[in-house]
């Protein structure tokens, strides 16, 4: 019985291959440059941004589970999920180093082909921000080119609880009053000052702020990359380019966790 079970793995079984499981042929067919003749660095540009979307999909999977588990009263696995997200976000930051190997001159060869497409239009990026707590209902009106599926997904993210809502629900389950700002700060100070008793809640708050910090670091790194590539030019999607990106750097998912530092 044991031999039969193991015979189904690898080349002996012949039921599943690396390429078929990961759908490698389909995946590799999705990098389709628009420039003609093809600009050498356009494949780099497409590959990096498609990679971002795959990482965003995984982040949404992990963050949603962390939120759901907090709403159900769990504290351990939500922290594990958030720590994984922090590692993924480190990869997002370092991927910018690869884009930085492209010179402004090489980008200009195909940049005009991108208009009016823009990273501003990444629905998954906005889903992550909405899910994390930075909700902006006006974005759906400003966002051009949304598919109906994307619009529904973003609307659901606006309407559903955020990670912050999940954390507050968890604090409530532990007997803390979290109905107004000062009550929440009182709860957070108590948790911070008694890590022996509330260690799991403190560690989870730290995991949330690490996620917040990592996303901000990615925003900042993205600003520098954009300014290195296009200077002060407008973005291809009509945004103000670097000025718009820079305005987002100071945004925070969990401002109360940041202000807590001043209250300790």
């Amino acid at each position: 019985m044991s031999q039969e079970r193991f015979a189904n793995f690898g080349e002996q079984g012949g039921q599943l291959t690396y390429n078929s499981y990961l759908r490698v042929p389909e995946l590799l067919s999705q990098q389709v440059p628009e420039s003609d003749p093809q600009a050498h660095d356009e494949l780099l540009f497409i590959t990096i941004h498609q990679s971002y979307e795959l990482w965003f999909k995984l982040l949404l999977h992990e963050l949603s589970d962390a939120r759901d588990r907090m709403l159900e009263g769990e504290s351990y696995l939500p922290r594990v999920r958030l720590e994984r997200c922090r590692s993924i976000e480190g990869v997002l930051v370092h991927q910018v180093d690869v884009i930085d190997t492209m010179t402004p001159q090489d980008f200009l060869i195909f940049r005009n082909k991108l208009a009016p497409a823009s990273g501003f239009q990444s629905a998954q990026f906005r889903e992550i921000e909405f899910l994390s707590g930075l909700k902006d209902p006006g974005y759906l009106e400003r966002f051009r080119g949304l598919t109906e599926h994307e619009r529904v997904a973003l609307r659901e993210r606006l309407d559903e609880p955020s990670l912050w809502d999940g954390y507050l629900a968890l604090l409530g389950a532990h007997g803390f009053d979290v109905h107004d700002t000062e009550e929440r700060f009182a709860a957070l100070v108590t948790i911070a000052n008694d890590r022996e008793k509330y260690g799991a809640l403190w560690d989870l708050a730290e995991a949330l702020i690490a996620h917040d910090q990592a996303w901000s670091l990615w925003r900042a790194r993205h600003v520098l990359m954009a300014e290195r590539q296009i200077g002060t030019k407008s973005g291809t999607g009509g945004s103000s380019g670097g000025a718009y990106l820079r305005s987002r750097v100071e945004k925070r998912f969990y401002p109360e966790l940041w202000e807590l530092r001043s209250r300790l």
Side-chain angles (χ1 to χ4, degrees):
M1 181 66 180
S2 178
Q3 289 181 343
E4 290 177 3
R5 184 173 72 250
F6 285 109
N8 288 328
F9 286 88
E11 295 180 1
Q12 292 179 338
Q15 298 177 11
L16 190 66
T17 68
Y18 177 90
N19 278 355
S20 64
Y21 178 62
L22 297 178
R23 303 194 180 190
V24 173
E26 295 91 334
L27 181 65
L28 297 182
S29 70
Q30 301 306 306
Q31 296 75 48
V32 184
E34 293 288 331
S35 56
D36 184 20
Q38 182 181 331
H40 179 82
D41 282 1
E42 191 174 2
L43 179 60
L44 164 68
F45 188 87
I46 293 171
T47 301
I48 288 292
H49 286 81
Q50 287 185 347
S51 298
Y52 275 132
E53 291 298 328
L54 289 172
W55 286 124
F56 291 165
K57 181 176 182 177
L58 182 55
L59 282 169
L60 286 168
H61 177 67
E62 301 295 343
L63 293 171
S64 295
D65 190 69
R67 184 270 319 275
D68 292 345
R69 290 179 180 276
M70 284 192 286
L71 290 171
E72 293 169 1
E74 294 185 43
S75 59
Y76 173 73
L77 281 177
R79 178 180 59 79
V80 172
R81 302 290 186 257
L82 286 163
E83 288 175 351
R84 176 177 292 169
C85 290
R86 174 63 188 88
S87 295
I88 293 168
E89 287 154 354
V91 174
L92 300 186
V93 173
H94 288 299
Q95 277 190 186
V96 181
D97 294 340
V98 183
I99 300 180
D100 268 346
T101 65
M102 178 174 63
T103 66
Q105 300 94 314
D106 291 331
F107 185 34
L108 285 173
I109 294 172
F110 65 92
R111 183 175 185 256
N112 286 342
K113 292 287 185 181
L114 305 181
S118 169
F120 179 77
Q121 298 168 330
S122 171
Q124 288 197 118
F125 178 89
R126 296 300 168 180
E127 279 194 67
I128 291 169
E129 293 204 325
F130 291 177
L131 174 58
S132 297
L134 192 61
K135 297 189 178 186
D136 180 5
Y139 182 74
L140 270 68
E141 281 67 53
R142 298 193 302 272
F143 199 158
R144 297 183 185 135
L146 276 177
T147 66
E148 186 57 29
H149 174 77
E150 290 170 334
R151 188 173 296 280
V152 169
L154 285 166
R155 175 55 62 188
E156 288 178 351
R157 295 296 184 188
L158 284 172
D159 294 340
E160 70 186 21
S162 68
L163 282 157
W164 182 239
D165 293 324
Y167 186 66
L168 294 182
L170 187 60
L171 294 189
H174 281 77
F176 290 105
D177 197 335
V178 293
H179 290 93
D180 64 45
T181 303
E182 290 307 313
E183 289 170 343
R184 290 194 293 274
F185 276 122
L188 291 170
V189 168
T190 298
I191 290 166
N193 288 331
D194 193 351
R195 286 174 290 175
E196 185 69 27
K197 183 176 181 180
Y198 299 113
L201 296 177
W202 172 255
D203 289 344
L204 188 51
E206 287 294 277
L208 285 169
I209 209 167
H211 163 54
D212 198 349
Q213 181 179 35
W215 203 249
S216 184
L217 288 171
W218 186 80
R219 289 195 198 99
R221 186 67 182 87
H222 190 239
V223 169
L224 291 174
M225 179 272 291
E227 291 179 344
R228 178 170 174 168
Q229 293 295 334
I230 66 172
T232 59
K233 294 187 183 79
S234 297
T236 51
S239 74
S240 57
Y244 167 76
L245 295 173
R246 192 168 290 282
S247 73
R248 304 289 296 178
V249 171
E250 297 301 319
K251 298 292 185 181
R252 295 289 181 267
F253 296 147
Y254 315 113
E256 291 180 19
L257 291 181
W258 291 98
E259 186 178 336
L260 172 63
R261 273 70 186 156
S262 302
R263 299 194 178 212
L264 293 178

